Amino acid sequence: MQYRELPAFPTDFFWGGSTSAYQVEGAVEEDGKGRSVIDANNEGRADRTGYTVASDHYHRYAEDIALMAEIGFRAYRFSIAWTRIIPDGDGEINPLGVAHYHAVIDELLAHGIEPIVTMYHFDLPQALAEKGGWSNRATADAFVRYAEVLYREYGDKVRWWLTINEQNMMILHGTALGVSATDSGDAKRDLYQQNHHMFLAQSRAMALCHRLLPEAKIGPAPNIAFVYPASSRPEDVVAADDWNAVRNWLYTDLAVHGRYNSLAWAYLVERGWEPTIEPGDLADLASARPDFVAFNYYATQTVAASTGTDADLAARPGDQQMVRGEVGLYRATQNPNLPTNAFGWEIDPVGFRTTFRALWDRYRLPLLVTENGLGAFDTPEEDGSIRDDYRIDYLQRHLEQMRLALADGVEVLGYCPWSAIDLISTHQGASKRYGFIYVDRGDDDVRTLARTRKKSSYWYADVIATRGRTLDAVASTDA
Ligand code: BG6
């Protein structure tokens, strides 16, 4: 649909940016922090400073928040490291870790920036992993206890909570993201059992939040990539529907409606991967009611009907945004209508609008964008400035589509792109950058860690100050 005029963004819109603890903080052995699975996985790496120092946000958070305020951020989405609060996951509370996040939150509030807290972003306590990780139902209990500590500590300051970042990516790309297979001999079934325990943890944490903090808002934060059929062949359309169910709607249906998506369940049963559900689990799942759905969007995916052979599989397995293919479910394809970035990820701003519409149609809950952005090798000019016009172009085109989604009637709470400041990529180290603020460091070279605002931060400041009116130069069409 085309519109003659587009609405301005709401006055209380959460313009902001995102980070996660292990990718930005560093200080992995300070102030009583326990080891996380990420720390354990990285212990032998040559470029270990990516994790031990990262962007040194742990020490420089005040400087970073001042820069965010300068840009005009109204919100900052960051994660709390479970291992700083409860170093072994379910034992003693660490007062220094608790104090650190009080200081961060106070600093944000002093600058008029709303804290949006992710409770768990890939960094499970290693001590829990050693007891079976998410395969062990007790990890769900430990998560709920951790959530309760957070609510009691920060509940009078933090109104916006996110449970688990990208549970779907942890299940579909587990080993890269800190979820490990156990040795039961059926790794996939195990993963879906872990998935079930995460769902339980999430639902119970949401119900508890509403009980303890009636004013607070809480929601899930999956990675949603709307799936297109490769052609109008009916079989391709069915394959796209199937993959949408298994990749996307399994996670959002469970979080919102408290029940398994029936197509995804049929897929699990067909493969013998359906989890064991204990008495009481379904009631627990059904008891949670998120106040909004947050989602991370990088691109859509495009699939065709399965050929039933290995020809379904992509040539290289790739990472979270790459279409992989699965025999008997869908064949991986590349969308010929979309460009890709330097890392092979497709770029699809219009798919952003489609994803908004699909989520809104399914749930009628307000939507919050917790990630979206362009990873690139930014190179400073001789004068030290960083002219990331390619990032401006990417973000601008996504914002235009978000505005069209608003015109379509979708309720959008805010936009927190990845990332507020440069940090360590999950797959490519420090040199793949996303931030509005440049951090002077290399993959295995810590350098000065000095901060410099990139050109994109000045562009974003204008967008925020004008509530998106600077995007008006662009025609109000969906062409
Ligand atoms: C999201 C994650 O999946 O994508 C982030 O929540 C991650 O943690 C981001 O950094 C971008 O991925 P990558 O691999 O480019 O860092």
Side-chain angles (χ1 to χ4, degrees):
M1 205 187 324
Q2 302 185 354
Y3 297 100
R4 270 162 298 158
E5 207 179 322
L6 290 175
F9 285 91
T11 39
D12 55 356
F13 195 74
F14 285 140
W15 294 104
S18 281
T19 62
S20 92
Y22 83 86
Q23 293 174 275
V24 77
E25 284 181 353
V28 294
E29 285 171 0
E30 269 175 66
D31 292 344
K33 180 185 175 303
R35 277 164 88 223
S36 72
V37 291
I38 305 285
D39 299 325
N41 285 348
N42 286 296
E43 258 151 28
R45 287 175 66 137
D47 57 352
R48 215 176 143 240
T49 61
Y51 296 90
T52 55
V53 179
S55 298
D56 199 29
H57 187 59
Y58 189 79
H59 298 116
R60 298 173 195 236
Y61 68 88
E63 178 188 352
D64 294 343
I65 290 169
L67 287 169
M68 292 176 206
E70 218 177 277
I71 299 171
F73 275 28
R74 286 211 51 244
Y76 175 40
R77 180 245 179 177
F78 63 100
S79 77
I80 288 183
W82 188 341
T83 49
R84 290 199 193 279
I85 304 295
I86 307 174
D88 67 359
D90 61 356
E92 296 289 303
I93 296 171
N94 171 30
L96 292 177
V98 169
H100 173 73
Y101 292 109
H102 270 299
V104 171
I105 292 164
D106 290 346
E107 193 71 20
L108 288 168
L109 295 175
H111 284 87
I113 299 176
E114 189 82 32
I116 300 179
V117 170
T118 315
M119 296 192 252
Y120 164 44
H121 193 123
F122 302 158
D123 51 356
L124 185 73
Q126 173 65 11
L128 293 182
E130 285 165 12
K131 291 190 238 166
W134 286 105
S135 295
N136 183 350
R137 279 178 75 89
T139 296
D141 301 333
F143 180 80
V144 178
R145 174 172 172 255
Y146 161 59
E148 178 163 359
V149 173
L150 298 186
Y151 300 151
R152 292 198 187 281
E153 274 299 332
Y154 309 117
D156 60 337
K157 302 175 182 174
V158 173
R159 232 162 50 90
W160 296 86
W161 298 91
L162 303 163
T163 51
I164 300 178
N165 180 70
E166 294 195 352
Q167 180 177 329
N168 53 342
M169 294 303 97
M170 283 196 274
I171 297 307
L172 296 165
H173 299 273
T175 42
L177 304 176
V179 169
S180 41
T182 57
D183 51 8
S184 72
D186 191 345
K188 277 289 200 172
R189 194 193 167 277
D190 248 32
L191 270 174
Y192 281 101
Q193 190 66 53
Q194 296 188 15
N195 197 35
H196 182 68
H197 294 155
M198 281 193 226
F199 281 143
L200 281 177
Q202 167 167 275
S203 297
R204 291 180 188 151
M206 288 200 284
L208 183 67
C209 180
H210 288 136
R211 222 170 30 249
L212 295 181
L213 307 172
E215 301 297 312
K217 308 279 182 203
I218 188 161
N223 174 308
I224 302 297
F226 188 80
V227 183
Y228 299 140
S231 78
S232 53
R233 268 179 70 216
E235 292 79 2
D236 289 349
V237 176
V238 169
D241 211 27
D242 288 345
W243 184 229
N244 256 321
V246 172
R247 187 199 190 284
N248 297 316
W249 313 145
L250 166 59
Y251 299 88
T252 43
D253 283 5
L254 203 307
V256 177
H257 300 309
R259 57 171 187 260
Y260 275 85
N261 173 287
S262 56
L263 205 46
W265 186 259
Y267 159 84
L268 295 176
V269 171
E270 164 64 21
R271 282 160 168 67
W273 297 341
E274 72 274 26
T276 304
I277 296 180
E278 304 275 333
D281 285 3
L282 294 179
D284 274 5
L285 296 178
S287 72
R289 288 276 170 270
D291 302 287
F292 60 91
V293 175
F295 69 105
N296 300 345
Y297 175 85
Y298 288 92
T300 49
Q301 298 201 334
T302 304
V303 308
S306 167
T307 60
T309 71
D310 283 356
D312 289 344
L313 307 178
R316 71 180 179 99
D319 53 41
Q320 66 193 45
Q321 296 307 135
M322 313 294 282
V323 194
R324 289 218 281 207
E326 186 173 329
V327 178
L329 189 67
Y330 71 97
R331 181 161 66 84
T333 68
Q334 184 92 25
N335 190 327
N337 304 299
L338 300 177
T340 51
N341 71 15
F343 302 89
W345 294 16
E346 288 174 344
I347 298 178
D348 185 8
V350 176
F352 195 26
R353 181 186 186 184
T354 307
T355 304
F356 272 119
R357 289 170 166 213
L359 287 167
W360 178 249
D361 277 354
R362 290 184 83 83
Y363 308 117
R364 280 291 190 281
L365 282 176
L367 303 175
L368 174 66
V369 180
T370 37
E371 287 183 37
N372 171 236
L374 182 74
F377 298 107
D378 299 337
T379 313
E381 306 290 322
E382 267 177 30
D383 64 1
S385 62
I386 296 96
R387 300 192 195 139
D388 53 345
D389 294 282
Y390 36 87
R391 182 166 294 108
I392 294 173
D393 180 63
Y394 176 101
L395 294 172
Q396 164 134 351
R397 292 197 293 128
H398 283 79
L399 283 178
E400 285 156 22
Q401 295 299 323
M402 187 165 71
R403 208 157 164 221
L404 284 161
L406 280 177
D408 292 336
V410 178
E411 192 182 336
V412 188
L413 294 169
Y415 181 66
C416 296
W418 193 258
S419 48
I421 180 167
D422 282 349
L423 40 68
I424 310 301
S425 143
T426 51
H427 298 95
Q428 279 97 2
S431 49
K432 182 183 190 184
R433 297 170 182 274
Y434 284 89
F436 288 111
I437 300 165
Y438 185 86
V439 174
D440 178 36
R441 65 156 298 153
D443 281 329
D444 42 17
D445 173 9
V446 173
R447 302 208 287 259
T448 66
L449 295 165
R451 277 56 174 150
T452 308
R453 281 182 58 180
K454 301 181 194 175
K455 185 173 174 187
S456 56
S457 79
Y458 294 95
W459 164 85
Y460 195 40
D462 279 348
V463 172
I464 297 174
T466 62
R467 286 169 51 210
R469 286 290 180 207
T470 45
L471 305 166
D472 277 351
V474 184
S476 55
T477 74
D478 55 357

